[in-house]
Amino acid sequence: MTAPTRPRHRAAAALAVALVLPAALSACGTAQAGPAIADGKTVLRFQGSVGQVTFPELAEDLGYYEKVSLEWIGDVTGGPASIQAVATGQADIGNAFNGAIIKLIDSGAPIKAVLASYGSDELTNGGVYVLEDSPITSARDLIGKKVAVNTLGAQAEAVDRSWLKQEGLTPEEIAQVELTVVPPVNAEQTLREGQIDAAGLSGPLQDLALERGGLRKLFSEVDLFGELSYGSYVLPSALIEKNPDAAADFVQGTARAIRWAQVTPPEQVRERYTSIITERARGENTDLVAFYKSSSVAGVGGVVADTEISLWIDWLVQDGQIEPGITPADVVTNDLNPYANGTYPPDAGPDGKPVS
C-alpha cells in the first residue's frame, strides 16, 4: 500500500529539523546520546524554575521513582526553550504549553507528551485585566488597543485570540488588537503607567497586582475554557522506545506526585515545597510558595484529554500556523500513566487506593 503523502510544508519542516538537530547536538557541550546510568538508575536531566517546585522534583522527594533519578541542569525561562532542549538532546524532560508542543512535533521533532504539567482551575488561573476606570468593557473595545502578553506564539496569544473570536470579532478585527510582548514581571506596572491598555496576569504576579487594587478583569482562562490542563511534560521519543522501563517509571512517579498535590491540603503542599527548595540549596527564596493554591492540573494524575490537544491543533490550523493532518495521538500518549492504563482506578490516590 502506498503511504499517504505528507503535507509539503510539514515534510520540509521535518527535513529542516533533521538537518538542524544534529548540528545543535554537536554544538552543545551538554548534549549526550542518551541518559546516563548511576547507581543502577537512569538519570534524567531536567531544567527547573527559580523558587518553584516541579512535579518531577516532588515525585523524587516523595520517593515515587524506582528506576530513574533526576539531574538538575539549570533553570529555564519558558516552555518553548524547555522542549527545544529535549529535541536537541540537551535535556530529557521538558514542559511547555500544548500548542508549542504540537508545533514542534509537527515540524518533525522527536518528542512525545506523556502527562499534563499545569493548567487552570477555579483556584489557579490567569486572566486579562484593565485599569478599574478604563473604558474597555468588552472584546470589541480592544480593537486598536495594546494587550500585553509574555511572548508571542504561545499560550497567552492563543487564549487571548480565542476569547476575541468567541466574543464575535472577525479575523480582520482580531488582527487589529495589538498583542505586545512585555515581561510578566513588568506587565502590571506597564498597565498602570498607561503604556498598554490591557495585560495578561497569572500566578503570584496576578495575586500581588490584585492585592494592590485598581484593576478590573475582562476574562479569565476558566471563564473561557473551564478547568483545563494547558501544558504537558515531554520525553524524547528515543527514551520511550529504547528505555521503556525508565520512561514508564518517570511517568508513574510524576503522575502520583501530581495526584498527591491534587488530594493533599494546600498548606501541606506549601510545607513540602518549602522543604524541597530549602534542601536543594540553589540560592533561592521560598516567597512564591506562599501563593500556591492548587495543582491546577485538570486530569487525575495528569492524564491528558484528547480535547486538551485537539483544541490547540484546531486553533493552529485555523490560524494558518500548521496544516491539517496532525492528531492528538501524534502528540501525546497516556499509555504510561497508571491512572489511564488500568494500573490504578481513575479516582485513586497516589498510593493506588481509593481517596477517602
Side-chain angles (χ1 to χ4, degrees):
M1 180 180 292
T2 304
T5 302
R6 195 178 190 197
R8 187 175 301 170
H9 100 285
R10 291 178 64 195
L15 176 61
V17 170
L19 294 172
V20 170
L21 292 187
L25 284 168
S26 63
C28 179
T30 61
Q32 58 188 57
I37 304 295
D39 298 326
K41 294 184 177 182
T42 300
V43 180
L44 301 180
R45 298 159 296 158
F46 79 101
Q47 295 171 303
S49 297
V50 177
Q52 300 179 62
V53 177
T54 65
F55 287 123
E57 290 173 293
L58 176 62
E60 188 167 59
D61 188 69
L62 289 167
Y64 288 165
Y65 295 140
E66 298 178 359
K67 300 178 181 179
V68 302
S69 62
L70 303 180
E71 178 187 354
W72 174 67
I73 57 172
D75 293 316
V76 69
T77 56
S82 174
I83 57 176
Q84 283 283 358
V86 176
T88 56
Q90 300 170 61
D92 304 302
I93 304 166
N95 168 29
F97 167 54
N98 287 330
I101 295 171
I102 292 164
K103 288 175 66 176
L104 195 58
I105 290 176
D106 185 69
S107 74
I111 61 173
K112 193 84 168 185
V114 290
L115 74 172
S117 57
Y118 74 93
S120 287
D121 58 26
E122 291 298 333
L123 295 175
T124 305
N125 60 82
V128 172
Y129 294 83
V130 296
L131 295 178
E132 201 166 43
D133 59 357
S134 169
I136 296 172
T137 60
S138 68
R140 188 160 299 280
D141 293 333
L142 289 175
I143 296 174
K145 301 295 193 299
K146 294 182 179 179
V147 181
V149 295
N150 62 327
T151 185
L152 295 174
Q155 178 180 330
E157 178 179 359
V159 169
D160 289 357
R161 292 175 65 177
S162 294
W163 179 71
L164 294 170
K165 179 181 179 181
Q166 179 177 288
E167 292 297 298
L169 271 65
T170 65
E172 294 74 21
E173 290 170 332
I174 292 173
Q176 297 176 56
V177 178
E178 185 177 347
L179 298 182
T180 304
V181 176
V182 177
V185 70
N186 302 124
E188 177 194 353
Q189 180 181 352
T190 306
L191 175 62
R192 293 188 188 277
E193 291 177 350
Q195 299 178 48
I196 53 176
D197 301 287
L201 299 172
S202 62
L205 295 174
Q206 176 182 241
D207 294 334
L208 289 170
L210 294 179
E211 281 183 7
R212 285 187 275 267
L215 302 182
R216 173 166 44 84
K217 182 176 70 176
L218 282 182
F219 77 95
S220 74
E221 294 165 345
V222 170
D223 295 334
L224 182 59
F225 294 121
E227 296 194 348
L228 185 79
S229 291
Y230 282 95
S232 299
Y233 287 110
V234 304
L235 295 176
S237 299
L239 176 70
I240 299 172
E241 296 165 2
K242 298 178 181 179
N243 197 341
D245 288 346
D249 190 53
F250 168 76
V251 175
Q252 70 80 25
T254 308
R256 291 167 63 200
I258 291 170
R259 189 59 177 152
W260 182 88
Q262 289 175 328
V263 301
T264 301
E267 60 271 18
Q268 293 182 30
V269 178
R270 289 192 288 266
E271 289 175 5
R272 193 93 188 197
Y273 281 7
T274 298
S275 173
I276 293 171
I277 293 171
T278 301
E279 291 179 5
R280 71 191 183 192
R282 297 180 193 164
E284 311 156 279
N285 62 50
T286 59
D287 293 350
L288 294 179
V289 175
F291 295 95
Y292 174 87
K293 300 173 185 175
S294 68
S295 74
S296 80
V297 175
V300 171
V303 174
V304 182
D306 277 359
T307 53
E308 292 170 340
I309 303 298
S310 61
L311 171 68
W312 305 115
I313 290 177
D314 293 344
W315 183 82
L316 289 166
V317 169
Q318 292 170 10
D319 198 55
Q321 296 188 45
I322 63 173
E323 292 182 13
I326 191 170
T327 69
D330 297 321
V331 178
V332 65
T333 177
N334 286 308
D335 291 350
L336 304 179
N337 194 315
Y339 297 95
N341 63 18
T343 302
Y344 293 162
D347 59 349
D351 57 359
K353 300 176 181 178
V355 177
S356 57

